[in-house]
């Protein structure tokens, strides 16, 4: 019921925050490492000029004893996209290599291919299409969530709810659409009207997904 959906939403949002923190932490770490190394190089150049003996060794710094940072692959774009597709109750795809993923973002549908620029996008009700290869495509209807695309040709999709499109019941969907439209028409205040509109939007998206099968 409402409590279960609220719990599922909370779980998905917590995971989305963890994914976002990881993405931003990676970017910040790379930026900090580059800035720190530039500062050390500038100091060493001044030290070489000012040292009193030509045999004097350069001083050590904390980075001297640190392990080498892991660099992004410089071998070019990967052949496959590595996909993680998370739901509150299961993992639909766990580091699975795929050709492409199409996602319904609030800013418009877009495709994720290997080498895609890092992106964070909020999902709207619609279809996530996972292209495993040239012939096999798995389609999921998602209610909402987030998509995270990383620089290393990996992508994380965190959906609050997801159902294979072929499992959608067309009659039930259209019945639900009619019910939400009636609730919108008979709404007594803005709150009831907003709730009904959410139902209409989701049902319309499911109808579109069924029509596109």
């Amino acid at each position: 019921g409402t409590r279960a959906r609220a719990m599922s939403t909370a779980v998905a949002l917590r995971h989305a925050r963890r994914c976002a923190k990881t993405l931003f932490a990676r970017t910040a770490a790379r930026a900090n490492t580059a800035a720190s190394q530039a500062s050390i190089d500038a100091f060493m150049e001044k030290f070489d000029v000012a040292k009193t003996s030509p045999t004097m060794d350069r001083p050590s710094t904390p980075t001297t004893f640190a392990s080498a940072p892991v660099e992004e692959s410089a071998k070019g774009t990967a052949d496959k996209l590595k996909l993680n597709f998370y739901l509150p109750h299961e993992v639909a795809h766990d580091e699975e290599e795929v050709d492409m993923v199409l996602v319904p973002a609030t800013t418009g549908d877009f495709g994720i291919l290997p080498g895609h620029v890092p992106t964070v996008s909020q999902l709207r009700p619609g279809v996530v299409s996972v292209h495993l290869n040239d012939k096999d495509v798995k389609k999921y209807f998602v209610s909402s969530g987030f998509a995270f695309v990383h620089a290393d040709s990996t992508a994380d999709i965190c959906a609050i709810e997801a159902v294979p499109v072929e499992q959608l019941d067309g009659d039930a969907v259209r019945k639900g659409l009619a019910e939400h439209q009636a609730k919108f028409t008979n709404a007594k205040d803005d709150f009831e009207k907003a709730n009904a509109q959410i139902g209409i939007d989701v049902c319309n998206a499911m109808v579109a997904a069924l029509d596109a099968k």
Side-chain angles (χ1 to χ4, degrees), residues 74-212:
K75 298 179 181 179
T77 303
D79 294 330
K80 290 280 191 175
L81 176 73
K82 189 170 290 186
L83 174 65
N84 298 304
F85 192 170
Y86 302 110
L87 305 174
H89 56 284
E90 67 174 322
V91 178
H93 296 273
D94 185 13
E95 295 190 353
E96 185 170 358
E97 291 188 341
V98 302
D99 283 350
M100 177 179 65
V101 180
L102 300 177
V103 297
T106 55
T107 53
D109 295 359
F110 71 95
I112 307 172
L113 291 165
H116 196 288
V117 295
T119 304
V120 179
S121 295
Q122 182 177 354
L123 304 182
R124 60 173 171 75
V127 176
V128 171
S129 298
V130 179
H131 292 248
L132 302 174
N133 50 52
D134 293 338
K135 297 180 179 179
D136 298 325
V137 180
K138 291 185 178 180
K139 294 185 177 182
Y140 302 87
F141 182 85
V142 299
S143 59
S144 58
F146 291 90
F148 302 86
V149 185
H150 308 289
D152 58 355
S153 293
T154 63
D156 299 323
I157 296 177
C158 309
I160 294 175
E161 291 180 296
V163 177
V165 171
E166 64 270 16
Q167 293 183 14
L168 292 175
D169 185 329
D171 292 337
V173 170
R174 290 176 175 82
K175 179 180 178 182
L177 176 59
E179 291 175 351
H180 286 297
Q181 289 172 334
K183 289 180 180 178
F184 184 88
T185 301
N186 299 320
K188 298 177 181 178
D189 53 39
D190 290 341
F191 178 77
E192 289 186 359
K193 186 171 290 188
N195 273 337
Q197 185 62 56
I198 291 172
I200 291 172
D201 292 343
V202 173
C203 288
N204 275 328
M206 285 192 283
V207 169
L210 289 166
D211 291 342

Side-chain angles (χ1 to χ4, degrees), residues 2 7 46 59 68 78 100 104 159 206:
T2 302
M7 291 177 66
K46 293 181 179 179
M100 177 179 65
M206 285 192 283

